[in-house]
Amino acid sequence: MPAGNVEITNVKTGTETVEVGEKKVEASTKEMDVKLVQEENAGPGIMRSSGESHVKVWTSAEVPGGIVKTVVTRNRPFKVVITTSVVRMSVVREAAATTTAPATGPGTAPARK
């Protein structure tokens, strides 16, 4: 595999409000420019890969898994925009334990009251 370098520049952080379904979520943001540079001597039969992208990620503890949204815009060698986002979320709390009839029979302890 050819050696390459990743250059990360223009890192910015902030906060933004993002809509997740009908709920507004306060999210931290981090964005950066990413450049992948492969060595020119990639070898025979090996495709050279290089490119430039802008990446922005929104995160929040309010969303299970923490990632609210990501947008990756690849500018070189051609433009592609990839967006992923949480569009609906529901948090299901585990129901309280239900009581069941105690086991009876040989080898079982009497039920406590």
Side-chain angles (χ1 to χ4, degrees):
M1 180 172 206
N5 295 310
V6 175
E7 297 173 7
I8 297 175
T9 58
N10 301 322
V11 177
K12 299 175 190 169
T13 59
T15 58
E16 290 181 21
T17 302
V18 180
E19 288 189 30
V20 177
E22 295 180 6
K23 183 177 180 177
K24 293 187 183 229
V25 175
E26 193 66 28
S28 298
T29 62
K30 189 166 199 174
E31 61 184 299
M32 66 200 76
D33 293 323
V34 180
K35 184 175 183 181
L36 173 64
V37 181
Q38 293 287 354
E39 291 180 0
E40 284 300 313
N41 188 7
I46 299 175
M47 182 185 295
R48 291 182 184 91
S49 177
S50 63
E52 296 175 7
S53 300
H54 182 80
V55 178
K56 186 169 184 178
V57 180
W58 291 257
T59 59
S60 174
E62 293 181 58
V63 175
I67 298 177
V68 179
K69 182 177 179 178
T70 61
V71 175
V72 178
T73 304
R74 184 163 173 131
N75 299 312
R76 287 186 58 192
F78 46 85
K79 185 167 184 170
V80 175
V81 178
I82 302 168
T83 302
T84 59
S85 61
V86 176
V87 294
R88 181 177 56 132
M89 83 175 168
S90 62
V91 178
V92 179
R93 305 251 185 247
E94 201 171 296
T98 58
T99 57
T100 57
T104 57
T108 59
R112 295 185 183 193
K113 294 185 181 186

